[in-house]
Amino acid sequence: MADNDKNFTAEEREAMQAAAKEARTRRSRAKKSPEELRAAGEADLKEAVAKLTDEDRLLAEKLHALVSEVAPELVPRTYYGMPAWGRDGKVLCFFQPASKFKVRYGTFGFEPISNLDDGTVWPTAYAVTALTEQDLEFLAGRIRQAIS
């Protein structure tokens, strides 16, 4: 193990390895049609979700259904091994499961390509422990704004 590896947790190393694999996969898929890319990304996302704990899997499945309904133009994919959705080859939003880094809540977050700017300070991530209908409506609004 390199000295620098000691600075990262096992979960962080796993996420970095997943990101490297995702980059290789994106390069190998560069000449695929949009339909093929969507199908491959959907398969990658579902594979990542299947590996989650029961609680995180339920949240990830609900978020995937929500994003697919509200923003069908976003392409499913993975991001550091986590479920994500993007456009133009870039991640727009993602779900960081609580179990991924052994924390008490998952996070639904947005990357800088999202159109969430509101003044000089605005939220870009939300803690998620459960998803009620009200929560889903709130996040649907944030997703709609992010893609606008």
Side-chain angles (χ1 to χ4, degrees):
M1 180 184 304
D3 287 338
N4 289 340
D5 287 348
K6 294 176 185 176
N7 295 327
F8 298 102
T9 66
E11 294 81 12
E12 290 169 331
R13 284 193 298 278
E14 182 182 321
M16 288 184 287
Q17 290 167 350
K21 179 182 175 190
E22 291 159 4
R24 288 189 301 273
T25 299
R26 277 192 306 279
R27 285 191 297 273
S28 72
R29 294 177 181 166
K31 295 183 181 178
K32 293 194 181 278
S33 72
E35 295 79 19
E36 291 171 317
L37 287 174
R38 176 174 291 282
E42 180 86 21
D44 292 345
L45 184 141
K46 286 184 176 183
E47 181 182 330
V49 169
K51 295 177 185 176
L52 299 176
T53 63
D54 290 345
E55 296 83 12
D56 283 337
R57 185 172 42 258
L58 179 62
L59 294 173
E61 288 169 349
K62 284 185 175 184
L63 289 167
H64 181 50
L66 178 68
V67 174
S68 297
E69 178 185 325
V70 172
E73 66 272 27
L74 295 182
V75 177
R77 57 177 292 173
T78 56
Y79 180 57
Y80 291 93
M82 301 176 289
W85 302 266
R87 67 174 169 203
D88 301 328
K90 296 179 181 178
V91 170
L92 185 125
C93 56
F94 62 93
F95 174 58
Q96 180 179 311
S99 59
K100 180 95 173 157
F101 294 103
K102 298 179 175 94
V103 295
R104 66 183 180 94
Y105 55 82
T107 305
F108 185 70
F110 295 89
E111 287 295 293
I113 68 166
S114 302
N115 188 25
L116 295 174
D117 305 32
D118 183 15
T120 58
V121 176
W122 58 89
T124 60
Y126 299 89
V128 179
T129 58
L131 289 167
T132 66
E133 285 303 314
Q134 185 177 2
D135 299 331
L136 291 169
E137 287 176 28
F138 170 77
L139 290 176
R142 300 304 294 161
I143 294 164
R144 284 185 193 98
Q145 182 177 348
I147 63 173
S148 66

